Amino acid sequence: MSAGSGIFSTMREAKVKGVSSLCTFDSNGESHILQSELASDSQRNSSLNVQFTPEIEKKYVHHVYDAIAPHFSSTRFAKWPKVANFLSSLPSGSLVLDAGCGNGKYLGFNPDCFFIGCDISGPLIKICADRGHEVLVADAVDLPYRTGFGDAAISIAVLHHLSTEGRRKKAIEELIRVVKKGGLVLITVWAVEQEDKSLLAKWTPLTQKYGEEWIGPGSPRARSPSSCTLESIPETEENGFGERKKDSGQSYMQSLQEITSQSESYSGASTDVKNANNQQEYFVPWHLPYHRAEVSGASACALANGLAKKDDKKGAVVYNRYYHVFSEGELERLVAGIDNAVIVDRFFDKSNWCIVLEKKL
C-alpha cells in the first residue's frame, strides 16, 4: 500500500464464510499490492518478497487456525493485565486497530474507544463478527488501512507466526504506518526465555533439514540450502525471485509429512538439546479434541494429507503451529532501522517480550 495514499484504488467486498472484508483487487480479480511509482525496482521487489506468504505459514499457521478456530476461541478469554492497562490508558474516543485480533477478546475492552480488528483467519473473523465487532480479513504485512488512520494499534502474539525477518519487520512498519503521529503501538511476542521450561520439551525444534519448507509450489522465490539452524532468515536471503528445482507436489507433501511425523521423535529430547545453537524455530502442538474435530471437515482433510495426526490416548487431532520465538533485544533490533518511531517502553511479561512504540513522523 502506498504510504501516502488515503484511499483504496479498486475496492470490492469479499465474502468470507458470511463475513464481509475489504480487499484490493486488480482487473483480473487477483490480490493487488499498491506500490509507489517513485520506488526503485529493487525496493519494489523487496516489498513484494515480504508480502508473498511462505508455504510454512500457509500450512502451519493459516490452515491450522482455520481448522481449530472454535476450540481456540473457547480457550482465549482472559485479558493480559499489561495489554488491558495499555488499552485503558488511551484517551477517550481513540480509534484502536487490533492487527491479528484472533477471536476479538480485546475488541471493545475500553468502552470509551472505538476498535477495528483484522486477522488472516476467516473463521476467527466470523466469530468476531458474530459478536458484533467491526472486523475484516487482512494480512499483518499489508494492513488495509490508510496511513495515519488510527490513534493506536496492538499486535498481540502475532509476529512470532511470521517466518522471515523481513516479514516481521514489515509487519512492524505497517503497524507504525497506520497510526497517527504521536500514536502508540503495543507489540507482544513469545520469548525464547520461557518461564515454564517444561514447555520446550513439548515443542518440535526445526533444524536446517527443514529449510526447503520455507519455499513451496507456487512460491516466487528460492532459498539456498543452509548449514545453520533456522534461527532467523535475514532479508538478504529473500531478494531474488526464482524457481524451485523440485516442482513435484508429491515431493513437497512428503516433506510436510516428514516434518509432522517426526514430532514424536523430538518429544523426548532434553531442553538443553533443543536450545542448542540458540534455537528459535519451533512447531508447537495444538490438541483438537475429537468431538471438536468433527465439527469441520478441515481435520479430516489435514489427517488425509499428513498435516495433522491422531493421538488416541488424548482423544485429539494434533496440529503443529509454526513459531519463531524471540530472543531478548530482537524486537528492538527490528525497530532500530525504522526512523519514524521510537521505543517508549519495553518489558517481559508472562514469557513474552513486549514493546510500546510512538510514531514520530
Side-chain angles (χ1 to χ4, degrees):
M1 183 174 297
S2 174
S5 175
I7 58 173
F8 298 111
S9 58
T10 306
M11 303 294 294
R12 83 178 185 193
E13 226 175 34
K15 298 294 184 179
V16 182
K17 297 191 177 182
V19 182
S20 295
S21 64
L22 294 178
C23 308
T24 57
F25 292 83
D26 62 20
S27 59
N28 296 319
E30 296 297 328
S31 179
H32 182 57
I33 302 170
L34 301 178
Q35 297 291 330
S36 169
E37 293 181 0
L38 299 177
S40 66
D41 289 341
S42 61
Q43 290 174 322
R44 182 176 293 110
N45 286 343
S46 177
S47 178
L48 286 169
N49 277 349
V50 297
Q51 290 181 350
F52 277 107
T53 305
E55 290 296 319
I56 195 167
E57 293 177 34
K58 293 178 184 177
K59 298 293 184 181
Y60 295 103
V61 180
H62 302 181
H63 292 178
V64 172
Y65 280 99
D66 285 353
I68 69 174
H71 184 235
F72 175 81
S73 178
S74 71
T75 69
R76 294 303 186 266
F77 49 85
K79 277 73 172 178
W80 292 359
K82 293 285 190 179
V83 179
N85 290 342
F86 175 83
L87 294 175
S88 296
S89 71
L90 297 174
S92 178
S94 294
L95 174 59
V96 185
L97 307 175
D98 187 346
C101 63
N103 70 339
K105 72 177 184 179
Y106 291 111
L107 298 178
F109 176 80
N110 184 339
D112 296 325
C113 295
F114 300 96
F115 289 78
I116 299 177
C118 67
D119 200 280
I120 197 67
S121 171
L124 283 173
I125 285 298
K126 185 178 188 309
I127 290 171
C128 295
D130 289 344
R131 294 174 176 175
H133 296 305
E134 295 288 340
V135 291
L136 62 157
V137 174
D139 194 324
V141 301
D142 189 20
L143 295 176
Y145 311 120
R146 69 176 183 266
T147 297
F149 181 57
D151 297 291
I154 61 174
S155 172
I156 310 304
V158 175
L159 265 62
H160 50 231
H161 287 309
L162 302 180
S163 61
T164 72
E165 183 178 293
R167 284 171 60 77
R168 294 187 283 271
K169 184 172 183 178
K170 177 63 175 175
I172 295 174
E173 290 173 341
E174 280 290 274
L175 290 165
I176 296 168
R177 181 186 64 79
V178 299
V179 298
K180 299 173 182 175
K181 180 181 179 180
L184 299 176
V185 175
L186 170 64
I187 301 171
T188 77
V189 294
W190 280 22
V192 167
E193 302 84 356
Q194 288 290 304
E195 294 169 318
D196 183 357
K197 301 299 183 183
S198 66
L199 285 176
L200 293 174
K202 301 175 182 178
W203 300 354
T204 304
L206 301 181
T207 60
Q208 68 273 15
K209 65 180 175 181
Y210 301 137
E212 188 179 18
E213 168 54 16
W214 263 253
I215 311 299
S219 196
R221 62 185 182 275
R223 184 181 310 286
S224 300
S226 172
S227 60
C228 63
T229 57
L230 296 174
E231 297 175 32
S232 180
I233 303 172
E235 184 67 18
T236 52
E237 293 185 23
E238 299 180 332
N239 289 336
F241 290 109
E243 297 179 355
R244 278 174 56 91
K245 292 182 179 179
K246 296 181 180 179
D247 294 324
S248 168
Q250 181 178 1
S251 172
Y252 177 63
M253 287 307 300
Q254 289 173 348
S255 172
L256 297 184
Q257 291 169 2
E258 176 183 321
I259 295 172
T260 304
S261 66
Q262 292 201 12
S263 294
E264 290 182 350
S265 68
Y266 281 103
S267 63
S270 69
T271 299
D272 289 340
V273 172
K274 289 187 173 186
N275 281 325
N277 299 318
N278 299 316
Q279 179 70 42
Q280 289 182 258
E281 313 292 331
Y282 289 96
F283 277 155
V284 178
W286 183 273
H287 292 80
L288 183 65
Y290 283 158
H291 69 278
R292 290 276 193 171
E294 297 307 318
V295 174
S296 168
S299 292
C301 181
L303 288 167
N305 290 331
L307 300 180
K309 63 182 180 182
K310 288 185 176 181
D311 186 335
D312 290 329
K313 290 183 179 180
K314 295 185 177 180
V317 175
V318 182
Y319 285 88
N320 280 317
R321 297 172 294 160
Y322 167 80
Y323 279 80
H324 168 89
V325 288
F326 281 64
S327 60
E328 182 175 7
E330 187 173 353
L331 269 177
E332 290 86 340
R333 289 192 294 274
L334 287 176
V335 175
I338 302 174
D339 58 9
N340 62 337
V342 295
I343 298 172
V344 294
D345 195 11
R346 66 182 295 275
F347 51 92
F348 183 81
D349 183 52
K350 298 183 182 299
S351 297
N352 285 257
W353 288 114
C354 315
I355 59 172
V356 178
L357 306 174
E358 180 181 349
K359 185 172 182 177
K360 287 299 185 181
L361 302 175

